[in-house]
Amino acid sequence: MNIGELARRTGSSARSIRHYDKAGLLASHRRDNGYRDFSDEAVPQVMQVARMIRLGFSLEEITTFPPCMLRQVTNAVCPDALAAHRERLAEVDRQLFDLARLRERLLTVLGANEPHLPPTERAPHEPS
Amino acid sequence: MNIGELARRTGSSARSIRHYDKAGLLASHRRDNGYRDFSDEAVPQVMQVARMIRLGFSLEEITTFPPCMLRQVTNAVCPDALAAHRERLAEVDRQLFDLARLRERLLTVLGANEPHLPPTERAPHEPS
DNA sequence: CTTGACCTTGACACCAGTGTCAGGCGCTAG
DNA sequence: CTAGCGCCTGACACTGGTGTCAAGGTCAAG
């Protein structure tokens, strides 16, 4: 299929798909006219890459992942990629820790000037 | 004092101080030779700006803050800036929420493939 | 043939504070 | 005079996925 249809099927933009393709993540081939020709398996591949990006992995990191990451469509992750996920989790934990401390600092400033601070509540949000 | 001494006293780089100065946050004047001449009050000013940046405010935001933010050296924040801090806190809460959800997703992936996941622990970190 | 939709590559913009370099001037000690 | 340090401005790089534009090729419908 052409890149346009792949974009429609995956919800990613053609621009992004070209980016993933250039990174060697999609295993496409070219027609005689130069057009990219994607097989059906490119659909889950693109969605997988998009999912990894949403999890906070960079394209460069994804490039280093073993090929099974992009071949498998199941929920299972091939063993070789688990380490990357663990590292990513540790990074997220560090960010959570830093952010929590930042929150404490802000509460300190607010609390020192505005004693009526609300209880520690969470603001719902819709990122991705 | 010259910018070099101010940099030494505050721990910020001369490059950053020029940046803050160009943003109009430091109230410096120039000598006949073109050099910036900072008074002693610039020291807490720079540190205050650096503190705000560490709290996650952008220079543009800081620029909109009332002048009292940079004049006062006390721990107290002038009332007009409290709103900005509350908004910043809400933003931090949103980030915490998103990050927590991201963490859940990572744990789901890891948990589905590696049932022996460690308890929810925090990794100590030193940002600033 | 013409129109229009779709494809190609390449390049710039974005965010925002900071590092760093280039080219040049000021000032002081020898 | 000169060596050396400090200061000046201006500009580019960096991060990194994505939007967007330019200039041009492909191809099917009319």
Side-chain angles (χ1 to χ4, degrees), chain B residues 81-92:
Chain B
L82 285 179
H85 280 73
R86 285 192 218 100
E87 287 176 20
R88 178 68 191 136
L89 178 62
E91 174 65 20
V92 167

Side-chain angles (χ1 to χ4, degrees), chain A residues 16-101:
Chain A
S16 297
I17 291 176
R18 285 197 194 93
H19 200 51
Y20 306 158
D21 188 39
K22 189 181 293 183
L25 293 172
L26 295 187
S28 67
H29 66 88
R30 300 300 184 109
R31 285 191 237 267
D32 291 342
N33 58 14
Y35 286 19
R36 288 172 183 82
D37 188 14
F38 297 97
S39 64
D40 286 343
E41 70 173 354
V43 175
Q45 281 180 346
V46 170
M47 294 195 297
Q48 176 76 319
V49 171
R51 205 177 302 128
M52 304 297 289
I53 288 176
R54 256 172 297 158
L55 281 177
F57 294 96
S58 69
L59 268 195
E60 191 175 10
E61 280 176 305
I62 300 176
T63 309
T64 68
F65 287 171
C68 64
M69 282 296 294
L70 297 175
R71 293 214 195 91
Q72 291 182 181
V73 195
T74 66
N75 283 334
V77 177
C78 55
D80 296 350
L82 285 179
H85 280 73
R86 283 192 218 98
E87 286 176 22
R88 178 66 190 138
L89 178 62
E91 173 66 20
V92 167
D93 278 344
R94 274 191 295 272
Q95 291 178 354
L96 276 168
F97 181 83
D98 293 347
L99 221 43
R101 200 165 55 168

Side-chain angles (χ1 to χ4, degrees), chain A residues 103 106-107 109-111 113-118 123, chain B residues 57 61 65 77-94:
Chain A
R103 188 174 194 280
L106 280 167
L107 278 182
V109 173
L110 284 171
N113 293 274
E114 192 181 34
H116 318 292
L117 51 101
Chain B
F57 295 96
E61 280 176 306
F65 288 171
V77 177
C78 56
D80 297 350
L82 285 179
H85 280 73
R86 285 192 218 100
E87 287 176 20
R88 178 68 191 136
L89 178 62
E91 174 65 20
V92 167
D93 278 345
R94 274 191 295 272

Side-chain angles (χ1 to χ4, degrees), chain B residues 13 15-16 20 58-59:
Chain B
S13 70
R15 173 68 178 86
S16 296
Y20 307 157
S58 69
L59 269 194

Side-chain angles (χ1 to χ4, degrees), chain B residues 35-50:
Chain B
Y35 285 19
R36 288 171 183 81
D37 188 14
F38 298 96
S39 64
D40 286 344
E41 70 173 355
V43 175
Q45 281 179 346
V46 169
M47 294 194 298
Q48 176 76 320
V49 170

